[in-house]
Amino acid sequence: MKKDIILKVEGLKTYFNTDEGVVKAVDGVSFELSKGETLGLVGESGSGKSVSNLSIMSLIPSPPGKIMGGKVLFGDKSIFDLSEEEMRNIRGGKIGMIFQDPMTSLNPFLRISTQMVETIVLHKKVSKHEAKKRAIEMLDLVGIPKAYDRINDYPHQFSGGMRQRVMIAMALSCDPEVLIADEPTSALDVTIQAQILELIQSLSKKLGTAVIMITHDLGVVAGMCDNVNVMYAGRIVEKGTNDEIFADPKHPYTQGLIKSVPRLDKPKQKRLYSIEGQPPNVIDLPECCPFFPRCEFAMDKCKTAYPPVTKFGDTREVSCWLYEEKTRGE
Amino acid sequence: MTKYIIRRVLGLIPTIFIIITICFFFIRLAPGGPFSSEKKLPPQILKNMQKKYHMDQPLIVQYGQYLVDVLRGDLGPSYKYKDYDVNYFIKQTLPKSMLLGGLALLVALILGIGTGMISSLKRNSWIDYSSMSVAVIGISVPLFVIAPILMYIFAMKLNWLPVAGWLDDGGAKTLVLPVLSLSAPYFAMIARLSRASFLDSLRSDYIRTARAKGLKTSVIMFKHVLKGASLPVVSYLGPAFSGIITGSIVIEQIFRIPGLGRHFVQSAFNRDYTMIMGTVIVYSLILVFMNFLVDIIYGYLDPRISYS
Amino acid sequence: MEMEHYNELNQHVKGVSLWQDALKRLKKNRMAMFGLYIIIFYALISLMAPILPIYSYKQQVLNHQYLPPSFKTAGQLLYEKKSYFLHAMAAKEGRTVLNSKEKKQLSDLKQSLAVEKKKLFNGKTVLVNQRHYLLGTDSLGRDLLARIIYGGQVSMMIGLIGALTSMFIGVVLGALSGYIGGRFDTLLMRFVDIMYSLPYLLLVIIFMAIFGRNIANLFFALAIVSWLTVARVVRGQVLSLKNSEFIEAARASGAGTGRIVFRHLIPNTSGVIIVYTTLTVPSFIMLEAFLSFLGLGVQAPFASWGVLIQNGVYAMTTYPWLLWFPAIAMTLFLFSMNFLGDGLRDALDPQSKNKL
């Protein structure tokens, strides 16, 4: 059993009303995060990873977005029942966030010092002077050289990797319990990616911060996560520990994902595997397993109903008709 | 920064020079002159008149003379109103026009940005729809329709405000209608522009970051959104100045305001060369200076612009 | 033809072209469609003006000055005016009924109004007092409705031809400037910058005042300055398209500059061009009206909306309809053009919502 659960998402549903129809971006997502854990959330673009996490922060633009159901428990508080002010205390204070594109995530019109200090003053209730000291410490910690001078620069004076470091420093400056990293390395050069991932990993261990690592890149997850959730078309299709997922992927989609990661330790394949087809359009999705058109094991059943959750031990869950037998057996 | 400003100011000189040159030859190109209209003057008097104003000399000499005079700050005597020089006329009228135009721009900016901000925050609400419809009306209804209609309603029918006049004979009340009419089209444009740019900013990643940091909406709006979102409005100020100058010609006529623009059209009809030239030069100076100011403000607001 | 099929998930999949998609979005935009219908209505009225049962725009009927808008005939209005006047006079003398002399005056008037005939421009002789002036008459007894319709013709023509001319100049120069680049581009953009910093409307005013006020001059004065913005926008578009793959491909297959610019670049900026044309028409109409308002535009006996509004402003204290009707007619049209332009922009370029 997991201990010290700090964030619990239950049956979260976030829909968007568009001209074309209702987009069920997140359709019943549940997961738990315990203290100090690093959880990987993996899926193709459009699978609902980011929307799930923006929903946790109540940052879904509404309209058109709307949270249609489910609960998010942060500690013992239900996030959707909080007042706007209580919610603001959580954002930035208890849960920090970093985003995909460091080039656009910092306000280009304000100095780094302004942007960092305002957050620290807001959540730590300290003077501006102390906040600035704290900000410089944090910049030092994330490896910005000459942080004391550079804090007065504008974002455009930093490189992409440095800006992401600034974002990390800002997100961690108020000692949050949870850090949500939304594709933190996708917009960066490969060499920088590894540095940033390592930084997140080492800092979270050092500060005891739990991390939700959202990514489309299984390679990222493999290196640093304790547990992995795989998402497809707005739902989690497979859960497990890092080792379980990589050693024994059960869902055909996870299997496909793993096969399509290029590997150096395996004999060179003729051609890198790729999952055929496109991720589905989640507008007006009929009742079915949305992966069936791309699945090599697709059965008739898959076309008419969404598969139930099959449990393997304490930590594994799979939603696939292939494992239905086992469910019935129990 | 200082270097940049000096360089820009030096850069203004050729522009002004080009404007003076174009205007000078443009005006003289046309057949006839200031003394050719009205009743015909006896040849000898005409000759004397032309001599008095140096019009008997070759055009290029006149041009050179005029340039020297302008450099000395002397815009010459009026051809139509004898013993009345252009400098004096401008000194009398310019402050009034500047007050009118300045107030109109200020009103347009404050109301326009405010409306745009509220509209973008309450996007697709009735406030948004109604204020944007008002803005399209403001853009579609010409100045010379808005002004008489406001005058008809508020001055003639309701008697709330004076029909015409200026500060010294009617007090601050006389300013209300001219300023409101003159600002209307620019208010409308600025409201639409700022709504669009506020929306753009609100959708941007850095505002998402600001929200994720737990900042209040008011802090986000005024500290994080306003600066970036006002950039398109600032770039629109250049065309707005130019529009307000031409607009003030109409407004000063309708409300009989003794400003610089009121007699501009009449001077043009009269071929009052020096008067037209003087007015155009003053207007151009204001316009060029304002455009320069806009660039400086833009650079101040956007740290990504460098002056090297 | 619209492609239509269903995918494996039984979802409806449609392939639509840019234009179909734009049309769909435009049809959804109620204000833009409203604008379109109004514009069609105006265009039809203008085109059919010669065969519509309206009076001449220049026919002066001097005793029909300043008749208010009404469904009654001119004769009735004149009779009521006289009767009102006589009753007022009588009331001054303390009487409530008219005396016989006054009654005679009235009945004589009625007689003469009924038979008075006038020869019109078109040679016909008609009973002038049987005329209906739905929107009233102006200071010279001309029918305001006819003047608004014929004035609208002039205004709309100026707007349309002006917009097309400035579009043509702007598109060609802008596209060439963007594509050729180099010195030509630098020179042209320098010129555009200088023109921008000039108070050009002042120059237009001087030009009109000095060179004479006729439609050709007006047209010329407006056309020489109005292509600037278009040229700039098209140049920007071309610059961004210039290095795209399809232009590379055209160049690789040996297409010359002319062919690339006119067959590849300009058609690909047609969305922007259409939107700008729609938005230039109202700005041209406004400019013309502005100049007409200053007495520099269209001259009598022709009218334009600007001229009518100018006349209306001077008469508005006592004869307000002379301002209201032309103002409404013009504003409604400009309104519609702007809404249509906005709608087209949103439809053709959904990314740049409400940008300029």
Side-chain angles (χ1 to χ4, degrees):
Chain A
M1 272 303 287
K2 286 181 184 179
K3 286 174 215 160
D4 286 340
I5 289 170
I6 46 172
L7 187 72
K8 190 169 180 177
V9 178
E10 272 174 38
L12 179 69
K13 291 185 178 184
T14 308
Y15 296 174
F16 290 84
N17 289 310
T18 67
D19 292 348
E20 321 294 317
V22 177
V23 177
K24 298 180 176 176
V26 175
D27 200 14
V29 162
S30 307
F31 62 84
E32 293 168 351
L33 183 73
S34 41
K35 221 165 212 167
E37 178 192 346
T38 301
L39 173 70
L41 207 52
V42 188
E44 286 165 302
S45 39
S47 60
K49 304 161 292 180
S50 299
V51 174
S52 313
N53 287 284
L54 288 173
S55 307
I56 293 174
M57 297 283 265
S58 295
L59 283 176
I60 295 293
S62 167
K66 196 162 184 210
I67 290 170
M68 300 298 287
K71 286 203 273 210
V72 176
L73 292 170
F74 181 73
D76 50 1
K77 285 175 254 171
S78 168
I79 273 190
F80 301 143
D81 298 334
L82 295 179
S83 70
E84 181 59 26
E85 201 183 327
E86 289 170 307
M87 197 55 229
R88 278 205 303 271
N89 281 330
I90 290 183
R91 289 184 202 135
K94 304 271 190 247
I95 306 180
M97 250 186 137
I98 47 183
F99 298 99
Q100 177 170 0
D101 192 350
M103 293 302 189
T104 55
S105 298
L106 288 165
N107 191 330
F109 303 105
L110 299 175
R111 289 176 203 280
I112 298 298
S113 56
T114 318
Q115 299 187 48
M116 287 193 72
V117 166
E118 70 179 355
T119 324
I120 300 172
V121 169
L122 183 71
H123 294 295
K124 291 246 147 195
K125 317 282 179 221
V126 293
S127 71
K128 274 196 176 170
H129 182 74
E130 270 172 74
K132 191 160 178 180
K133 240 167 65 188
R134 167 88 181 146
I136 294 169
E137 265 172 46
M138 286 308 295
L139 289 179
D140 250 341
L141 197 63
V142 297
I144 305 264
K146 293 188 202 141
Y148 188 82
D149 295 325
R150 302 232 51 193
I151 193 169
N152 291 321
D153 283 352
Y154 285 100
H156 71 273
Q157 291 162 298
F158 289 83
S159 68
M162 284 294 162
R163 278 191 227 183
Q164 198 61 298
R165 283 170 194 267
V166 172
M167 278 299 290
I168 294 171
M170 195 153 81
L172 293 177
S173 62
C174 302
D175 300 319
E177 290 169 48
V178 179
L179 175 69
I180 299 176
D182 190 349
E183 306 240 10
T185 57
S186 317
L188 301 174
D189 288 349
V190 182
T191 46
I192 313 284
Q193 280 188 10
Q195 295 175 13
I196 295 290
L197 287 176
E198 210 189 285
L199 180 70
I200 294 176
Q201 198 178 15
S202 67
L203 278 181
S204 62
K205 287 282 170 292
K206 196 162 159 186
L207 305 171
T209 317
V211 178
I212 299 179
M213 176 65 70
I214 302 170
T215 180
H216 62 267
D217 184 355
L218 266 184
V220 168
V221 171
M224 62 181 294
C225 293
D226 303 320
N227 292 299
V228 176
N229 290 352
V230 180
M231 278 191 83
Y232 191 80
R235 304 194 212 208
I236 292 177
V237 294
E238 182 162 6
K239 289 182 185 178
T241 65
N242 193 50
D243 296 342
E244 285 166 346
I245 293 277
F246 282 91
D248 177 26
K250 295 211 181 283
H251 198 283
Y253 177 61
T254 320
Q255 293 168 0
L257 279 182
I258 290 175
K259 269 195 267 179
S260 49
V261 176
R263 301 191 62 157
L264 297 173
D265 56 342
K266 290 272 168 79
K268 202 169 163 189
Q269 290 157 304
K270 277 210 180 83
R271 202 178 161 162
L272 192 60
Y273 179 84
S274 74
I275 306 173
E276 293 293 317
Q278 293 292 316
N281 179 353
V282 284
I283 298 173
D284 302 326
L285 208 58
E287 180 66 27
C288 67
C289 169
F291 188 62
F292 87 81
R294 304 169 76 185
C295 180
E296 48 190 310
F297 309 111
M299 303 174 280
D300 282 346
K301 221 188 274 178
C302 304
K303 298 178 188 174
T304 51
Y306 192 83
V309 174
T310 310
K311 290 202 172 193
F312 296 88
D314 279 343
T315 48
R316 295 222 73 181
E317 284 177 15
V318 182
S319 293
C320 178
W321 285 114
L322 287 175
Y323 305 98
E324 187 210 3
E325 301 293 310
K326 190 179 175 299
T327 322
R328 210 176 284 161
E330 270 180 17
Chain B
M1 186 73 184
T2 329
K3 247 188 187 166
Y4 170 79
I5 292 178
I6 293 171
R7 203 148 37 86
R8 277 299 310 263
V9 172
L10 289 178
L12 300 183
I13 294 169
T15 314
I16 301 285
F17 175 75
I18 290 173
I19 292 171
I20 294 178
T21 309
I22 292 180
C23 258
F24 187 89
F25 289 103
F26 190 55
I27 294 172
R28 310 274 168 142
L29 220 75
F35 315 119
S36 61
S37 51
E38 293 171 30
K39 53 192 191 284
K40 253 205 151 56
L41 294 165
Q44 189 54 46
I45 297 178
L46 186 66
K47 226 174 167 183
N48 289 342
M49 291 277 274
Q50 288 187 332
K51 194 165 178 144
K52 183 183 166 197
Y53 294 111
H54 308 291
M55 280 178 60
D56 50 347
Q57 286 163 332
L59 201 56
I60 194 78
V61 178
Q62 292 182 43
Y63 171 65
Q65 185 61 45
Y66 186 74
L67 274 187
V68 172
D69 286 347
V70 170
L71 274 181
R72 288 208 317 255
D74 178 8
L75 294 169
S78 165
Y79 286 171
K80 212 67 192 181
Y81 309 99
K82 322 277 183 289
D83 310 316
Y84 191 58
D85 72 31
V86 180
N87 282 30
Y88 176 77
F89 172 75
I90 287 173
K91 215 189 285 169
Q92 290 297 306
T93 54
L94 182 62
K96 292 165 186 154
S97 290
M98 280 176 73
L99 180 65
L100 176 67
L103 281 177
L105 193 67
L106 201 68
V107 169
L109 269 176
I110 294 173
L111 289 184
I113 292 182
T115 309
M117 206 189 246
I118 293 169
S119 268
S120 68
L121 270 179
K122 308 264 170 206
R123 181 168 33 124
N124 297 339
S125 68
W126 67 269
I127 302 181
D128 182 24
Y129 286 128
S130 50
S131 51
M132 283 307 116
S133 302
V134 171
V136 179
I137 296 176
I139 291 170
S140 307
V141 187
L143 206 61
F144 48 85
V145 173
I146 293 179
I149 287 176
L150 287 183
M151 189 200 236
Y152 182 79
I153 296 173
F154 293 104
M156 292 172 179
K157 288 290 146 186
L158 298 173
N159 270 323
W160 289 353
L161 294 159
V163 174
W166 190 244
L167 286 175
D168 24 5
D169 55 85
K173 266 186 168 180
T174 52
L175 281 174
V176 177
L177 286 179
V179 166
L180 279 186
S181 332
L182 187 52
S183 67
Y186 308 100
F187 151 74
M189 277 305 283
I190 291 173
R192 273 161 60 103
L193 258 180
S194 52
R195 175 183 181 272
S197 62
F198 272 102
L199 277 181
D200 265 3
S201 278
L202 283 172
R203 273 194 282 258
S204 71
D205 286 353
Y206 62 84
I207 294 307
R208 189 183 56 190
T209 308
R211 284 195 203 287
K213 292 200 298 188
L215 300 176
K216 274 190 199 166
T217 306
S218 58
V219 175
I220 291 176
M221 280 316 261
F222 286 99
K223 197 165 169 185
H224 285 259
V225 180
L226 186 62
K227 222 171 159 189
S230 57
L231 286 179
V233 177
V234 171
S235 2
Y236 174 67
L237 285 183
F241 281 128
S242 154
I244 281 187
I245 285 176
T246 37
S248 69
I249 293 177
V250 169
I251 292 293
E252 287 173 14
Q253 278 195 10
I254 293 177
F255 291 99
R256 274 168 251 137
I257 292 167
L260 188 55
R262 187 175 172 193
H263 298 291
F264 181 72
V265 178
Q266 198 49 49
S267 302
F269 276 131
N270 290 344
R271 310 275 166 96
D272 194 343
Y273 292 162
T274 43
M275 198 70 126
I276 311 172
M277 288 294 299
T279 315
V280 171
I281 289 174
V282 169
Y283 276 144
S284 309
L285 274 175
I286 296 176
L287 202 60
V288 164
F289 177 73
M290 287 302 184
N291 279 328
F292 163 68
L293 210 64
V294 165
D295 282 357
I296 299 284
I297 296 174
Y298 199 99
Y300 168 75
L301 285 175
D302 191 347
R304 288 168 298 188
I305 291 188
S306 69
Y307 291 106
S308 45
Chain C
M1 220 197 77
E2 204 168 281
M3 294 183 296
E4 231 176 275
H5 71 270
Y6 291 85
N7 69 2
E8 311 94 320
L9 294 169
N10 209 26
Q11 287 169 314
H12 192 195
V13 178
K14 276 181 294 185
V16 280
S17 74
L18 169 75
W19 293 101
Q20 285 171 332
D21 207 26
L23 193 66
K24 207 177 92 196
R25 273 197 293 268
L26 186 67
K27 278 185 180 160
K28 261 193 184 165
N29 186 334
R30 254 188 259 150
M31 289 314 277
M33 289 314 280
F34 168 77
L36 184 64
Y37 293 137
I38 298 278
I39 292 163
I40 293 173
F41 173 74
Y42 270 67
L44 284 179
I45 295 274
S46 284
L47 290 174
M48 299 195 313
I51 56 166
L52 286 178
I54 50 174
Y55 306 124
S56 157
Y57 64 94
K58 52 185 175 183
Q59 177 72 58
Q60 304 177 2
V61 182
L62 283 177
N63 60 342
H64 287 181
Q65 283 173 3
Y66 295 126
L67 288 179
S70 166
F71 289 111
K72 294 174 187 162
T73 62
Q76 277 172 303
L77 289 173
L78 288 174
Y79 178 80
E80 279 171 16
K81 201 165 149 191
K82 182 76 178 173
S83 153
Y84 178 81
F85 171 75
L86 288 177
H87 275 95
M89 291 301 284
K92 245 185 193 167
E93 293 168 23
R95 288 176 287 133
T96 52
V97 283
L98 303 179
N99 60 28
S100 57
K101 200 176 128 205
E102 288 162 344
K103 275 183 183 155
K104 173 112 182 15
Q105 265 185 359
L106 270 183
S107 64
D108 282 355
L109 180 71
K110 204 169 194 173
Q111 282 281 311
S112 69
L113 284 175
V115 296
E116 189 188 344
K117 286 188 180 174
K118 193 169 159 65
K119 203 169 169 203
L120 299 179
F121 281 142
N122 56 15
K124 273 191 219 152
T125 309
V126 293
L127 291 164
V128 277
N129 295 317
Q130 294 305 311
R131 291 180 139 205
H132 291 271
Y133 298 113
L134 293 181
L135 301 185
T137 58
D138 69 0
S139 58
L140 295 172
R142 292 174 294 197
D143 180 30
L144 188 59
L145 177 64
R147 287 186 70 72
I148 289 176
I149 291 175
Y150 281 97
Q153 270 187 348
V154 172
S155 283
M156 280 186 264
M157 276 298 271
I158 289 175
L160 195 65
I161 300 178
L164 292 179
T165 323
S166 70
M167 271 300 137
F168 181 74
I169 303 175
V171 167
V172 170
L173 285 181
L176 285 175
S177 178
Y179 185 73
I180 298 174
R183 191 175 294 168
F184 179 72
D185 184 41
T186 319
L187 271 178
L188 193 81
M189 284 305 117
R190 193 75 214 121
F191 178 72
V192 169
D193 281 344
I194 290 178
M195 290 299 279
Y196 261 117
S197 66
L198 288 177
Y200 68 82
L201 255 178
L202 300 185
L203 296 186
V204 170
I205 291 174
I206 299 171
F207 179 85
M208 291 303 293
I210 290 180
F211 287 87
R213 296 160 272 167
N214 59 54
I215 293 188
N217 275 351
L218 175 76
F219 203 72
F220 178 73
L222 294 181
I224 52 168
V225 290
S226 55
W227 57 270
L228 300 170
T229 311
V230 185
R232 230 183 215 186
V233 171
V234 171
R235 174 180 171 271
Q237 288 271 313
V238 167
L239 275 183
S240 67
L241 286 175
K242 193 169 145 184
N243 295 319
S244 57
E245 280 82 2
F246 75 96
I247 297 297
E248 298 270 306
R251 212 177 294 143
S253 58
T257 302
R259 191 176 165 79
I260 290 178
V261 170
F262 292 101
R263 297 282 303 170
H264 293 280
L265 288 176
I266 292 182
N268 271 291
T269 54
S270 53
V272 180
I273 295 171
I274 289 174
V275 170
Y276 265 82
T277 314
T278 330
L279 292 173
T280 309
V281 172
S283 71
F284 244 93
I285 292 178
M286 272 228 215
L287 272 179
E288 182 278 323
F290 173 79
L291 292 172
S292 291
F293 183 84
L294 293 175
L296 296 166
V298 177
Q299 299 298 305
F302 296 106
S304 71
W305 285 330
V307 173
L308 295 175
I309 289 170
Q310 185 208 21
N311 295 339
V313 169
Y314 291 114
M316 93 182 150
T317 334
T318 31
Y319 314 108
W321 66 87
L322 287 177
L323 173 64
W324 292 122
F325 291 120
I328 291 171
M330 178 176 174
T331 305
L332 187 61
F333 185 73
L334 294 179
F335 209 62
S336 306
M337 284 305 286
N338 280 328
F339 268 126
L340 181 64
D342 280 358
L344 280 173
R345 183 182 44 213
D346 291 351
L348 286 168
D349 188 5
Q351 292 302 313
S352 74
K353 259 203 173 309
N354 292 324
K355 267 196 194 140
L356 280 173

